[in-house]
Amino acid sequence: RKEVEQDPGPFNVPEGATVAFNCTYSNSASQSFFWYRQDCRKEPKLLMSVYSSGNEDGRFTAQLNRASQYISLLIRDSKLSDSATYLCVVRGGSYIPTFGRGTSLIVHP
Amino acid sequence: EPEVTQTPSHQVTQMGQEVILRCVPISNHLYFYWYRQILGQKVEFLVSFYNNEISEKSEIFDDQFSVERPDGSNFTLKIRSTKLEDSAMYFCASQLAGVTDTQYFGPGTRLTVL
């Protein structure tokens, strides 16, 4: 089983739509969880950390389900500028993150 | 806002040549990393560096790779004898401290081995 799994997509949605991505992880000892955004041929940029209680930042909501070992990202009111690849990142007790392959989102007019 | 910088942005080299990729981490950060991303694939951890020594490294980081922090600001990745399969984007990242702290990535160096 892969350590961090994501549906590669692409998710093709119209502007204004709500879209959700899931990510599953295999290491039950994982401690830190993040969503990064990566534009084509650019560096990953932190979108948000994911906490057990769930957290929201504007149009973005992240949830963590430790029992089922998955994290989710919900994007409301999608914008054209949201088009990117969304990377799920999981860290265990060390500082070494494990990246998923990413989920591609395309928002069209 | 402070940022991680990397040079060069693109490096083209011949197979068997040595390359040095350079990074300037954020100044008060304590942990430094190198990652690579082969085109179309996921970001892969190479090595982490703390307190002037390697703290962890992956299977990818074999004897052909080395890292240095030659002064108080630069952090370099050297590939001694490049192979075709070393062609990738190489990202440097730095982190203030703590496992929950954010890692900030540099813009990357695209390495092309011919």
Side-chain angles (χ1 to χ4, degrees):
Chain A
R1 182 181 172 184
K2 292 179 186 173
E3 292 184 67
V4 178
E5 283 199 68
Q6 295 183 252
D7 180 346
F11 285 64
N12 205 320
V13 303
E15 269 186 293
T18 295
V19 62
F21 310 134
N22 282 336
C23 163
T24 57
Y25 60 94
S26 59
N27 183 355
S28 59
S30 298
Q31 296 184 14
S32 307
F33 309 88
F34 308 87
W35 283 104
Y36 277 75
R37 170 195 168 124
Q38 186 175 31
D39 293 290
C40 188
R41 295 180 180 265
K42 300 284 189 181
E43 75 272 26
K45 290 188 176 177
L46 180 69
L47 183 63
M48 56 199 307
S49 303
V50 188
Y51 305 114
S52 297
S53 54
N55 47 302
E56 187 174 310
D57 182 3
R59 298 182 294 108
F60 299 85
T61 301
Q63 296 275 355
L64 166 63
N65 185 319
R66 286 189 183 272
S68 301
Q69 293 182 206
Y70 76 84
I71 67 174
S72 64
L73 177 68
L74 181 79
I75 305 175
R76 288 181 297 277
D77 188 23
S78 300
K79 313 288 185 197
L80 296 176
S81 56
D82 293 334
S83 297
T85 297
Y86 290 84
L87 308 179
C88 172
V89 181
V90 175
R91 292 216 294 253
S94 75
Y95 291 79
I96 311 307
T98 302
F99 286 75
R101 292 193 64 160
T103 297
S104 175
L105 172 66
I106 301 169
V107 182
H108 59 82
Chain B
E1 183 178 319
E3 57 183 20
V4 177
T5 59
Q6 289 186 244
T7 53
S9 56
H10 190 189
Q11 173 91 47
V12 181
T13 190
Q14 296 289 327
M15 194 168 56
Q17 295 297 304
E18 174 183 287
V19 294
I20 297 176
L21 310 183
R22 291 183 167 79
C23 168
V24 180
I26 295 173
S27 61
N28 61 338
H29 284 191
L30 301 178
Y31 294 84
F32 314 113
Y33 304 82
W34 283 102
Y35 297 88
R36 79 170 185 193
Q37 187 176 30
I38 296 170
L39 188 63
Q41 298 189 24
K42 67 176 183 176
V43 176
E44 299 174 290
F45 166 76
L46 293 178
V47 65
S48 62
F49 194 84
Y50 171 70
N51 201 26
N52 285 317
E53 59 183 25
I54 291 174
S55 45
E56 293 193 61
K57 58 184 181 179
S58 72
E59 292 175 355
I60 303 168
F61 193 88
D62 62 20
D63 292 344
Q64 292 299 313
F65 292 88
S66 62
V67 289
E68 264 192 334
R69 189 155 161 82
D71 52 43
S73 59
N74 290 285
F75 179 50
T76 62
L77 175 69
K78 182 192 292 185
I79 309 175
R80 265 181 270 282
S81 177
T82 49
K83 307 183 187 69
L84 296 176
E85 55 264 36
D86 292 328
S87 295
M89 280 291 280
Y90 287 81
F91 294 109
C92 173
S94 72
Q95 180 179 354
L96 180 59
V99 71
T100 57
D101 282 347
T102 303
Q103 289 190 14
Y104 293 90
F105 284 76
T109 293
R110 186 186 311 171
L111 177 64
T112 303
V113 182
L114 303 175

